[in-house]
Structures are given as structure tokens and as C-alpha cells.
Amino acid sequence: MTDGSIAQEDRRKRILDAAIRVFAEHGYHGARVGDIAEDAGVAHGLLYHYFASKDDVLRTIFVENWGHLIARFRSVEAAVEPAPKKLEGIAKILLRTWRNDPALVTVMVREVARSQQLQAQVEDVREAFVIVQRVIEEGQASGAFRKELDARLASWVFYGGLEEVLTGWVLGQLPDSEEDVARAERTAIDLALRGLSA
Amino acid sequence: MTDGSIAQEDRRKRILDAAIRVFAEHGYHGARVGDIAEDAGVAHGLLYHYFASKDDVLRTIFVENWGHLIARFRSVEAAVEPAPKKLEGIAKILLRTWRNDPALVTVMVREVARSQQLQAQVEDVREAFVIVQRVIEEGQASGAFRKELDARLASWVFYGGLEEVLTGWVLGQLPDSEEDVARAERTAIDLALRGLSA
Amino acid sequence: MTDGSIAQEDRRKRILDAAIRVFAEHGYHGARVGDIAEDAGVAHGLLYHYFASKDDVLRTIFVENWGHLIARFRSVEAAVEPAPKKLEGIAKILLRTWRNDPALVTVMVREVARSQQLQAQVEDVREAFVIVQRVIEEGQASGAFRKELDARLASWVFYGGLEEVLTGWVLGQLPDSEEDVARAERTAIDLALRGLSA
Amino acid sequence: MTDGSIAQEDRRKRILDAAIRVFAEHGYHGARVGDIAEDAGVAHGLLYHYFASKDDVLRTIFVENWGHLIARFRSVEAAVEPAPKKLEGIAKILLRTWRNDPALVTVMVREVARSQQLQAQVEDVREAFVIVQRVIEEGQASGAFRKELDARLASWVFYGGLEEVLTGWVLGQLPDSEEDVARAERTAIDLALRGLSA
DNA sequence: GATGAATGAGATTTCATTCAT
DNA sequence: AATGAATGAAATCTCATTCAT
């Protein structure tokens, strides 16, 4: 029984991991349920045992992973640090996820962020922006950042700059060696902080 | 005959315009060829008179409109102006396109940027980045911008910041009144120029 | 006006000739009306000026050419010659048509003879068999051919042997140089006459 | 499990049988995939579970059945019998197949022989001719058949005579009662053997 | 007569989802 | 839980035919 449950979790996880890989490679629409099952090494019917639909698989990928990200953002926000340091922390989390799991980032960037399927999740994505916005406002209050900037717009611009670098990696247009990632981190953070700083 | 040609061009244009609207509303995959034809007020077969496939319609939308954008970027680059002014010009072009044609921007941002079928067009997209990069390098040479920044990465971050604002409008997450657009313009440009400036 | 009529006949003929070539190359179903028109150098709409439908084009090809063949068979039958000589004449007409117009034979053999479209023409095809049958009966009456054979069946076997040789040429499975055609003629005739002879 | 496999084979077979019937009645192009499925009593999608395409169904019909025929031809060839007896055996196999499965013969004669998509299978068809040719050569070597005849051409003429009789039955032009079939057999064999004999 | 843009019925094929085993 | 055969809605694309010019 215990074994059964473990195996069960295994299968579910294997299907999700396979889905991330297959969605990353072929896109949501180009990925067939059968492809995912094959990659996971299970019969495709089993997928419907764990998920309601193909769409639900994508939604689950988003929800489970976005939750992690947001949690980390939140703990950065809660830390006792100056606002610029917090912004730097957020940027690092976002960009370093790439090296940990490029396929996951590909799916999040290409399929989820702008998808129609997951309109319901737009609210969740918004949360990240709000955190960034609050950190910027914090910086404005502390005098670290210029007050005349619209914090909300600035959070979008900041986030967009980071996301585009991820996109460059996803599309293979920007080099992504360890060193390149480090440089991208410095460049993006430097640009943003200087742009914001009072 | 002249009338014939005009009418013919009309129909082709009508189909493309309809496609932009329908792709914007339902996404490429959610859009049926029949929807496009219906919106254009023609029989769906006619679409195949002008285009090889549904995919070809999307490609054509991209190629014809991206060409316009690039041409305008180029003329900004060629102008006799300081680099920061040029960057400002490029940002304005990109952001104002939204007000002219939201549906077009929706398609360009949502469908083209991440589409697999248009991977071949990635080269064209790249061109925009290269122009921005050259302007940044020009600014670095003239002493207006900091030399220690990687111009290529900076061009991605810059472009990403702008695109995210467009995305915010597309998703209805950011207000997009005339005044809002003007403020977004100022914010994004201010952030970027300050971030870059020496 | 006279010029007009001549041109008119020209066009019609050009369409028919093109159709024979295109049907021969791609088969009836694989041939598009546009292909025929293109090969004929006219707009495809014009085809409907001369023919009621694509089907009608095939029917016309059959009717006009089969008529010629039958007429020649008939004149052989009417000649004052012994039956074996007449059979030889018929075989020669059939086989030599190949070298004159392989495309036409291809169409007649592949598309018409066994087509469903032209069920109405089966009656016409039958006429050829009847002529052969009458010649065989004539030979049986004159004592040249064995009387115990069923003349009708024999006419089918005889005709089939010839048609298969044509098919071999059509499919490129049998060599068809001038010399080969002559040998095929001798072989087929020799086989048939010896098979029939008393 | 055993039941499962049996049922599975059943379905595949039912689809093939249905296809033979439907192709025979409407021709390959006139037959819709839905017609075949309906005749087989399955959903049309299932056809694509067993076959890659409609074309593949026709190809399969040919390959599987032609294989049977060739196998029987081969065993006749291998038998210890005089060549004329062997030729008679081949003719009987070919003609009697009609009585066993008229629809199958219709498809083989009408669709396969002239189809473009099955040109690749022409090689297989050729095999039948080669067997006949070898038997004729055997007869020529043993002195049973005339040596001056071209064995290859003779094999085509022989086969064509038989196929035309089948065609006559297919088109409903020749009577095909048990007795008629027997007479046709005698006539065709008699004609051929007399024609060939020394 | 001649053109070719326009129409639209129709056919194949795909693939997410179901369900009997 | 697990399988994969079976289903059938849905979508793209083709192409014969029509018809305004």
C-alpha cells in the first residue's frame, strides 16, 4: 500500500515532468497526449487518472511551479534588507531558474504567461508583479529609488527585461553558459537599479 | 482591369485584416480558417487563393508588418541625433503602434514571438535587437552611455521592458488610455536611459 | 470569323490533347482541371465552354478516338480476306496505335476500359469484342478455326492478350522500341492464330 | 487477453473486408473512408488505428492477397509435372479466385492494376509474370512448347487473356455461373496451350 | 470567346477523451 | 491502477464548377 502510493506519486510526477519536456519542445498545441505518455513511459489513458485533461496538465505545471517561485519572491520581500538588494534577489531567482530547469522556464514563458487557456491564472502571475511593485515602492519610501516613477509600470518594465532574457535563452538566441547567465544577471540588475535609483 | 486589381487587393487585405482580428481574439490555434473567412466576408476557399495555408497567413501578417516596423527603426537609427534620442524614438514607435492597431500588436506579441511555425522568422525579429544594440553602442562610443554594459544584453532587456508593457495592455492588465500610453512611454524611456547613462 | 472558328477548333483540340497527356501522366483522379488548362495554355474556365465537366472531357476523348478505332476494325472485317488475316489486321491496328500515340492508349487502357465513370461507354467497348467474335465465327465457318471453341470467350481472351501487352508498355514493363513492337505483334498474333486454328 | 487479441484481429480483418467490398462497388476514389468504417461497423477513426491512410488500406489489400496468389503459383511451379499442366494449374487458380471472392478480384483488377499509388507494387505483380515465363521456358526446354516464341511476351499475352475474362465478369459482360467459369477455364487454357505447343 | 477570382461541398485525417477489460 | 482499442467532433485543405467582367 505504501509502495502503491509511492509508485502512484512517482507516476504522476513522471507524467508532469514528461509534459514539461514535451510542451517545451513542441509547444502546448504541438504536444500530443500520447507523446507525453510515451515520454513518461505510461499508457496515455493513465494520464486521465491523474489529470482531468491535457489542459489540466498545463495548469498543474503552472500552479505547482509558480507557487514555488512566488514563495521565494515572498521570502525575499520579507527579508530585512534594503529594497535594491531585494530586487536583486528577485532577479537572481528568476534568471537562475533557467539553468536549473530550462524546459520548465520555456513552458512558463512560452505557453503559460501569454496563453489563452490559462486566463484564470493571469491573476496568479499578477502576484509576482505586485511583489516587485511593493519592493519598488518600499525603495521609493526609503529614498533609494526615485519617487517620480510609476511603481506599477516600473515593475512591468523590470519584469519584462528579465523575461526577455529568458526568452533569448529559450529561443537559443542568447548564449547561456554559466558565465553568460552571470553576466546577464549583472547587466539586467545594474540597468534596472541604476534606472530606478534616486 | 484596374478595378479588378483593386478589388483583388481589397480581398487579400480584408482577409489579412480579418485574420489579425481573429488571431488576436482566439489565438492562432483557436482561430478557425472559417472564422477568418467569415469575418472577412468571403468564402473560406478564397483564403487558399491568396495564401498557401493558415500558417502562411500568420507568416504574412508578421512579415508585412514587421517590415514596416523595422523600416521605421532604421530611419530613426539613420537620423542625425544623439543616441539617447534615437532610443527614445524607437520606444515611441513600438509603444504607439499599440494605439494604432491593438489587434496587430496582440498577434505579434502573443502568436509570433513564441510560435514554433515562425522560427524561420526569428532572424527577422533579431534585426530589431541588432538595431537597438547598435544605437546603444553608438551611445557608448559617444560617451552618453556606460561602456561597461554589454550592449547586446542591454538591447534585450530594453526591448523586453517595452514588450512587457505591450503585453500588459494586451492582457488588459495595464490601463491604456491615451494618457496612460504617454505615461508608460515616459516611464519606460526614463528607466532605460537612466539605466544606461554614464 | 473563319479565323475565329479555326481558332475555336484549335482551342478545343488543344484542350483535348492536353487532357490526354495529363490523364495519362496523373490518371483521371490525379489530374486537375487546372493542370489540363495549363498544359493547353488556356484559362481553366474556358474548358467549361467546350465541355460540360471534367468527366465529359474523358468521355469525349473516348468517344472520338474509339470511333476511329472501331471504324478501322470494321473496314478490316469488311475486307475480302480469310479470317486469320483479318484477326491479324485487328491486332496490328491495336498494337500500332501505341507507337502513334502512347498517351492516348494509356488513357484508353487505364482510365476508360475499366472506369466507373464511363459505364455508359461499356456498350461501345463491347462493339470491338463483337467484331472480333464475328471474325472468329467466320473463321470457324470457313474451317480455318476450331469449331469447339466458344467464339465469344475466345474474343475476350484474344483482346485481353493484346491489351496486356499495351499495359506492359504503359507501365514501362515491356520494351517498346520499333523492333520490340514488331516482335510483340508477331508473338501475339502467332499465339492467337495457332491457338485458334483447326 | 486472448479474447482481446482475437477481437483486435477481428476488427482489422473486418475493416479490410469492408474496404474490399466498398472499393469494389465504388472504386477507390469513389469510396469514402466513412463508407468503409460504416460497412465494417466501426468508427472511422479506428481505421487509422490499424492503417496509416486510406491508401495504406488498398496497399494492404493488395499485398496480403497477392502474396497468397503468388504462393500458390509458386507451389504449382515447384510441382513435378509437365509445363502445360503447370500452366493449366496457374490459370485455374487465377480464374477460380473469382468464384471465391468476386469483390477482391474486382479490386485487384480495377484498382490495383492501374493505380498510381501502387506503382511501387508493380514489382510484385511482375513476379507473377516471371513465374509464368519460367514455366513457359521450362516447356520450351522440354520440347512441349515452341522455341521460337518469346517466353516473356507470351507470359504477358497468356496472363492478359485470363485477366480479361476476369474483367468481363467484373463488368458483368460475361456470364459467370459455375458452368460458365468452367467453360472459360477450358477455353482459355485450350487456346493458350495450343498456341504455345510445338 | 476568354479569364481567373470566387464559391462551397466534401473528404481525409488528427487526436483528446472514454471505457471495457 | 493501468492499458490501449475505440470513438467521433472538428479542422484544414482541395478542387470542380460558376460567373462577373
Side-chain angles (χ1 to χ4, degrees), chain C:
Chain C
M1 283 232 190
T2 309
D3 287 3
S5 302
I6 287 172
Q8 184 178 329
E9 265 316 294
D10 258 13
R11 302 269 217 191
R12 203 189 102 102
K13 190 75 173 59
R14 280 232 303 268
I15 291 171
L16 280 176
D17 287 347
I20 290 170
R21 281 190 295 271
V22 177
F23 285 156
E25 190 175 0
H26 300 107
Y28 176 78
H29 282 102
R32 281 164 298 185
V33 169
D35 293 339
I36 297 171
E38 190 185 16
D39 189 290
V42 302
H44 67 269
L46 189 58
L47 191 142
Y48 291 87
H49 212 79
Y50 294 108
F51 306 98
S53 64
K54 179 182 168 185
D55 188 274
D56 187 42
V57 174
L58 181 58
R59 190 180 358 265
T60 303
I61 289 170
F62 172 74
V63 170
E64 298 195 353
N65 292 286
W66 189 256
H68 283 169
L69 208 64
I70 288 292
R72 297 179 65 195
F73 284 179
R74 262 201 259 272
S75 75
V76 166
E77 189 194 1
V80 185
E81 277 187 314
K85 211 69 190 150
K86 288 183 183 178
L87 227 43
E88 188 179 335
I90 286 172
K92 282 184 176 173
I93 288 168
L94 210 50
L95 294 180
R96 283 183 188 171
T97 304
W98 168 256
R99 288 209 60 90
N100 293 339
D101 200 342
L104 176 61
V105 173
T106 302
V107 174
M108 302 295 260
V109 167
R110 291 234 294 232
E111 303 305 325
V112 178
R114 299 164 177 179
S115 122
Q116 346 252 163
Q117 280 80 48
L118 299 178
Q119 291 297 23
Q121 268 62 46
V122 165
E123 206 46 42
D124 298 310
V125 176
R126 200 179 170 137
E127 178 131 22
F129 289 83
V130 172
I131 291 175
V132 172
Q133 183 182 338
R134 281 198 305 257
V135 171
I136 291 174
E137 285 164 348
E138 187 188 324
Q140 290 177 319
S142 76
F145 297 152
R146 288 184 284 147
K147 290 192 174 54
E148 72 270 25
L149 288 170
D150 180 314
R152 187 175 179 205
L153 275 167
S155 73
W156 281 74
V157 173
F158 173 75
Y159 186 88
L162 297 175
E163 200 188 69
E164 194 74 31
V165 172
L166 289 177
T167 301
W169 289 333
V170 163
L171 297 180
Q173 295 279 318
L174 286 178
D176 66 343
S177 74
E178 187 112 24
E179 196 191 351
D180 291 313
V181 172
R183 178 170 38 247
E185 214 172 275
R186 282 198 310 275
T187 304
I189 292 168
D190 188 13
L191 256 172
L193 294 187
R194 276 277 269 250
L196 290 163
S197 66

Side-chain angles (χ1 to χ4, degrees), chain A residues 77 83-84 86-87 129-147 149-155 196:
Chain A
E77 191 194 358
K86 288 183 183 177
L87 228 44
F129 289 85
V130 172
I131 293 175
V132 172
Q133 184 182 338
R134 282 199 305 255
V135 172
I136 290 176
E137 284 164 348
E138 187 187 322
Q140 289 177 321
S142 75
F145 296 151
R146 288 184 282 147
K147 292 189 172 60
L149 289 170
D150 180 315
R152 186 173 180 206
L153 275 167
S155 73
L196 290 164

Side-chain angles (χ1 to χ4, degrees), chain B residues 11 43-46 49-50:
Chain B
R11 302 270 219 189
H44 69 270
L46 190 58
H49 198 77
Y50 293 110

